[in-house]
Amino acid sequence: MAFLFNKFQEAVKVLAKSPTFAKDPRKMQFEADINRLFLYTCYNRLGRTAEEADVDEVIEMANKASVDDQQKQVQENIHSQTRNFSTAMDSILLSGPIEGDEAGGGSSKDVDAAPRRSGLSFAVGQRGPSSKHPAIPKTKPLSLAEVSLRLKESIGYALDLKPSQIPHEAAGTGLFVNGEVDVGTVIAFYPGVIYAPAYYRYISGYPRVDAKNPYLITRYDGTVINAQPWGSGGDTRELWDGSKLPENQPSSPSGDEKGSDRLWKTLSKPVEGTRISGGAGEIIERRNPLALAHFANHPAKGMAPNVMICPYDFPLTEKEMRTYVPNVSFGNADQVSMRRFGSFWWRTGSREGSSDVPIMKALVLVATRAICDEEVLLNYRLSNSKRRPTWYTPVDEEEDRRRWS
């Protein structure tokens, strides 16, 4: 298996320099990332019983398939892993005798009661959750720590938060894999509130949204995710709208910006008047052991990242999986859709018999090599056109430049 992985790694290096990628630097970097994700996630899907002929076939596909086709396959691979994760979580929280009542032990009165409103809800004109919303299913009264332990027993790994091993004061809390994962594995979900570009001005702290919030991240398409309201999760399944800041918020690094692909710009004048899609929020499992991607640190000088960001367009028609995707959309989520043909999902093109499916534009972290009981390290790719923190050492200056060109 090690020989086959080395073969994949060599293919990654060669294809990254392919002249077939777009000439536009930003698009070129996006396509190179998709190509790497295609190789990593396909390798993962082959499994440990893969033969050399299987690996050769995937490498050939990576050379010949269009970027769009590779992107479709990456989405399918990530969705397959998310489905397996959801099944494992169901077996932990729903199978067998279930004690307590709604929200993992809270009463229906607790579910219907409107929570204390935050500055965010006032700022965007929210009136609080509606009294009419779906009942929260009964689950086992397990804590997040207990769920994490059982998840490791089920899939072989979970995540821990511990003091980072990165040798600088701003590193703070680090994210660690507890167990073993193979290359191409979805390590973590980036949780929080999702903002399409049209809703930038509603981000909490506007207009200088990144001044006191290092937990903002952007996709290539401009979608921003704010993980600050998520904190480190919770101990219930609840109606969550992301409008309340957690009592125990993630500790922000002192002075310097910590985030990866952060929003390095000041936005224009704020406006008033919209809310989280759906108004009352979504039923979200806050005991999600993998919803901790925002704690991943950038590697120090001489260290290499072991994960990379992957955009994940979650189809909202997957109702049984929805509670395990730790995000809610701000604004009208139904304005974004993708198409499904067979087992593939994508956003462009049309064919007779296709169906538009609403999606949630999420992010996950994917392992770029096998990881065993190690800290998760993510290349932040901070813009080289702006002042960067003193602790930041570029992994690849050219990639940084292309990412923000």
Side-chain angles (χ1 to χ4, degrees):
M1 197 66 181
F3 164 73
L4 297 182
F5 174 67
N6 290 335
K7 197 167 187 176
F8 256 89
Q9 289 288 61
E10 288 302 314
V12 168
K13 294 176 183 178
V14 171
L15 291 171
K17 301 176 181 179
S18 173
T20 61
F21 292 138
K23 300 302 181 183
D24 174 73
R26 181 178 172 84
K27 189 175 181 181
M28 174 184 176
Q29 189 57 54
F30 170 73
E31 293 179 356
D33 287 348
I34 290 297
N35 190 255
R36 291 177 64 196
L37 288 165
F38 175 82
L39 286 168
Y40 289 141
T41 60
C42 285
Y43 177 84
N44 182 276
R45 198 160 187 176
L46 288 175
R48 298 186 177 185
T49 60
E51 297 181 355
E52 187 172 1
D54 300 320
V55 173
D56 289 339
E57 183 177 359
V58 171
I59 293 174
E60 183 178 4
M61 290 172 61
N63 275 291
K64 294 182 178 180
S66 67
V67 173
D68 284 345
D69 285 340
Q70 290 184 45
Q71 191 172 3
K72 298 168 198 172
Q73 188 60 54
V74 169
Q75 292 297 312
E76 169 69 11
N77 294 343
I78 298 300
H79 192 64
S80 176
Q81 291 194 47
T82 304
R83 182 182 293 111
N84 293 339
F85 165 69
S86 299
T87 300
M89 289 291 285
D90 276 347
S91 69
I92 293 168
L93 292 168
L94 301 181
S95 63
I98 298 176
E99 301 175 4
D101 45 23
E102 286 86 358
S107 67
S108 58
K109 181 178 179 181
D110 293 333
V111 174
D112 290 339
R116 177 179 62 83
R117 293 175 66 192
S118 69
L120 172 61
S121 64
F122 281 109
V124 300
Q126 285 183 272
R127 297 179 180 177
S130 167
S131 59
K132 296 181 180 180
H133 52 70
I136 300 176
K138 295 180 180 179
T139 61
K140 293 181 179 179
L142 301 173
S143 67
L144 173 56
E146 291 171 320
V147 174
S148 183
L149 180 62
R150 298 192 185 191
L151 182 67
K152 181 185 177 184
E153 294 173 351
S154 176
I155 66 175
Y157 72 98
L159 298 172
D160 288 336
L161 296 178
K162 299 186 292 186
S164 175
Q165 296 177 348
I166 303 298
H168 60 73
E169 294 181 359
T173 299
L175 181 63
F176 292 78
V177 170
N178 180 2
E180 297 182 42
V181 299
D182 290 328
V183 63
T185 299
V186 172
I187 295 290
F189 296 88
Y190 203 96
V193 181
I194 299 172
Y195 295 84
Y199 298 113
Y200 280 170
R201 62 190 65 185
Y202 299 106
I203 299 174
S204 181
Y206 184 95
R208 182 59 181 172
V209 296
D210 61 344
K212 294 184 179 180
N213 182 2
Y215 298 100
L216 294 168
I217 194 169
T218 61
R219 297 184 6 151
Y220 274 99
D221 59 13
T223 300
V224 174
I225 303 178
N226 178 15
Q228 193 174 48
W230 184 264
S232 54
D235 284 320
T236 62
R237 178 173 298 191
E238 63 187 63
L239 196 67
W240 191 73
D241 64 4
S243 63
K244 293 194 303 179
L245 293 179
E247 292 182 4
N248 297 317
Q249 296 184 45
S251 57
S252 298
S254 58
D256 289 330
E257 174 66 52
K258 176 179 185 256
S260 55
D261 281 9
R262 303 305 184 194
L263 208 62
W264 282 87
K265 60 182 179 181
T266 301
L267 305 177
S268 56
K269 184 178 179 181
V271 297
E272 299 178 356
T274 191
R275 61 175 58 191
I276 301 297
S277 179
E282 301 273 359
I283 296 176
I284 301 294
E285 182 52 71
R286 296 271 286 152
R287 296 165 292 181
N288 186 332
L290 302 188
L292 297 169
H294 52 306
F295 286 96
N297 271 315
H298 180 80
K301 185 176 182 179
M303 304 174 71
N306 51 21
V307 298
M308 66 182 295
I309 289 171
C310 177
Y312 174 38
D313 295 338
F314 174 74
L316 292 170
T317 50
E318 298 278 9
K319 302 296 185 182
E320 294 182 357
M321 299 167 58
R322 174 65 187 93
T323 190
Y324 300 119
V325 179
N327 302 96
V328 291
S329 293
F330 190 96
N332 298 319
D334 57 357
Q335 292 178 350
V336 182
S337 63
M338 64 193 300
R339 297 186 179 277
R340 178 176 183 171
F341 301 104
S343 60
F344 297 105
W345 302 85
W346 62 90
R347 291 186 297 275
T348 57
S350 61
R351 293 183 188 175
E352 187 176 350
S354 68
S355 59
D356 288 332
V357 176
I359 63 168
M360 176 169 288
K361 292 189 172 185
L363 278 174
V364 297
L365 301 185
V366 172
T368 56
R369 62 169 175 81
I371 304 175
C372 179
D373 297 328
E374 300 173 48
E375 183 167 2
V376 177
L377 301 175
L378 171 67
N379 180 7
Y380 282 5
R381 282 183 180 169
L382 298 185
S383 172
N384 55 9
S385 65
K386 303 289 184 180
R387 182 183 62 83
R388 297 187 290 200
T390 56
W391 51 258
Y392 182 79
T393 300
V395 173
D396 188 320
E397 192 74 72
E398 183 62 22
E399 284 189 1
D400 291 356
R401 184 190 65 77
R402 288 196 299 260
R403 171 63 178 89
W404 295 102
S405 64

